[in-house]
């Protein structure tokens, strides 16, 4: 039997160590990376939303696009490739009982330009989508699987995989945990979970309650 040289054994040990370090940085499908949005409503600062990002190996292209749209690092060559100044859909008619339902989601369309690949080409990553498909009543969704016991307030950051805005700068903040029991994961169908709200629930509720103006992102980036 051929015995491998110590040199290759050493590399194997180094690779194994690197793999273990990477695995410890992922917990329940989420990494240690965070993004933030500072929100303004009608010229008045409202607060900050901070999201913990999903394991970037699940959907690398979608995650990288989200991060770069937050940092605006492509803004020098494409002024539309960033989120600062973008507004969430504003529908005061949905405000009920002091807390806006907004059909349980706050949608931000962005400027329609991506920060990876060609700006106006939809992001497509079928192999990774296939590997992180989650089934629920009513269909399928992708990325991190929603688990109520691990998702704190149950507010998830998603991107559309099917339908309007798929593969673009469009995102949605979905209040899964606050929705009726019969909805929950069904709100995620045809979309991919790229993050979860870590702090800023009061800010999100302020966005939902107000009837003054569309919530606007005045600053965004990585933490």
């Amino acid at each position: 039997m051929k015995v491998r040289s110590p040199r290759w054994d050493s590399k194997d040990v180094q690779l194994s160590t690197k793999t273990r370090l990477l695995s410890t940085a992922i917990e329940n499908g989420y990494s240690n990376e965070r993004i933030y949005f500072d929100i303004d409503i009608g010229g008045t600062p409202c607060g900050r939303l901070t999201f913990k990002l999903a394991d970037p190996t699940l959907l690398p292209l979608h995650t990288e696009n989200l991060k770069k749209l937050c940092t605006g690092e492509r803004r020098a060559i494409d002024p539309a490739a960033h989120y600062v100044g973008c507004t969430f859909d504003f529908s005061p008619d949905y405000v009920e009982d002091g807390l806006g339902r907004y059909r349980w989601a706050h949608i931000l369309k962005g400027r329609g330009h991506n920060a990876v690949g060609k700006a106006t080409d939809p992001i497509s990553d079928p192999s990774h989508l296939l590997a992180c498909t989650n089934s629920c009543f009513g269909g399928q969704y992708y990325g991190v699987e929603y688990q109520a016991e691990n998702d704190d307030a149950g507010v998830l950051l998603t991107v559309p995989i099917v339908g309007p805005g798929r593969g673009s700068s469009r995102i949605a903040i979905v209040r899964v945990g606050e929705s009726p029991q019969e909805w929950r994961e069904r709100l995620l169908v045809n979309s991919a979970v790229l993050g979860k709200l870590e702090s800023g629930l009061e800010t999100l509720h302020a966005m939902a309650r107000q009837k003054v103006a569309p919530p606007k992102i005045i600053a965004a980036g990585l933490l």
Side-chain angles (χ1 to χ4, degrees):
M1 180 177 69
K2 187 176 181 179
V3 178
R4 293 189 303 170
S5 69
R7 182 182 60 183
W8 287 106
D9 286 342
S10 175
K11 285 187 176 181
D12 288 344
V13 170
Q14 291 175 7
L15 181 60
S16 177
T17 301
K18 184 181 292 186
T19 302
R20 286 198 303 270
L21 288 174
L22 179 61
S23 66
T24 59
I26 305 299
E27 182 180 358
N28 297 320
Y30 292 93
S31 71
N32 288 325
E33 290 190 299
R34 292 164 175 80
I35 60 170
Y36 72 89
F37 299 130
D38 287 340
I39 306 297
D40 173 285
I41 298 176
T44 302
C46 180
R48 170 172 289 189
L49 303 172
T50 301
F51 294 90
K52 194 170 188 178
L53 294 180
D55 174 358
T57 64
L58 291 176
L59 293 169
L61 293 179
H62 292 83
T63 301
E64 189 67 14
N65 189 51
L66 173 64
K67 289 163 56 178
K68 288 185 175 180
L69 287 172
C70 287
T71 60
E73 61 184 76
R74 197 169 175 173
R75 191 173 179 177
I77 58 175
D78 184 357
H82 66 99
Y83 282 134
V84 175
C86 293
T87 58
F88 288 85
D89 283 1
F90 179 55
S91 303
D93 291 343
Y94 285 130
V95 176
E96 301 174 12
D97 302 324
L99 185 64
R101 293 183 181 273
Y102 284 89
R103 294 180 181 173
W104 305 110
H106 302 262
I107 297 171
L108 181 88
K109 294 173 182 168
R111 294 181 172 85
H113 281 212
N114 289 322
V116 298
K118 293 184 178 179
T120 56
D121 285 355
I123 293 173
S124 179
D125 196 358
S127 61
H128 282 94
L129 286 171
L130 184 63
C132 63
T133 301
N134 304 298
S135 298
C136 67
F137 182 76
Q140 297 176 327
Y141 66 98
Y142 308 87
V144 183
E145 182 179 7
Y146 172 68
Q147 297 177 345
E149 65 274 16
N150 295 326
D151 284 331
D152 304 319
V155 178
L156 303 179
L157 183 65
T158 71
V159 294
I161 300 301
V162 178
R166 66 178 180 84
S168 72
S169 60
R170 183 180 177 124
I171 60 175
I173 302 173
V174 187
R175 301 192 340 249
V176 179
E178 295 179 358
S179 69
Q181 187 65 40
E182 62 269 23
W183 284 101
R184 297 299 165 94
E185 286 181 286
R186 293 179 65 186
L187 296 171
L188 305 174
V189 168
N190 293 333
S191 63
V193 177
L194 296 187
K196 67 175 180 178
L197 187 70
E198 186 174 64
S199 65
L201 186 60
E202 291 183 1
T203 299
L204 187 64
H205 283 169
M207 291 168 56
R209 290 188 184 101
Q210 61 81 34
K211 299 183 180 182
V212 178
K216 178 191 292 187
I217 295 177
I218 57 173
L222 294 176
L223 292 175

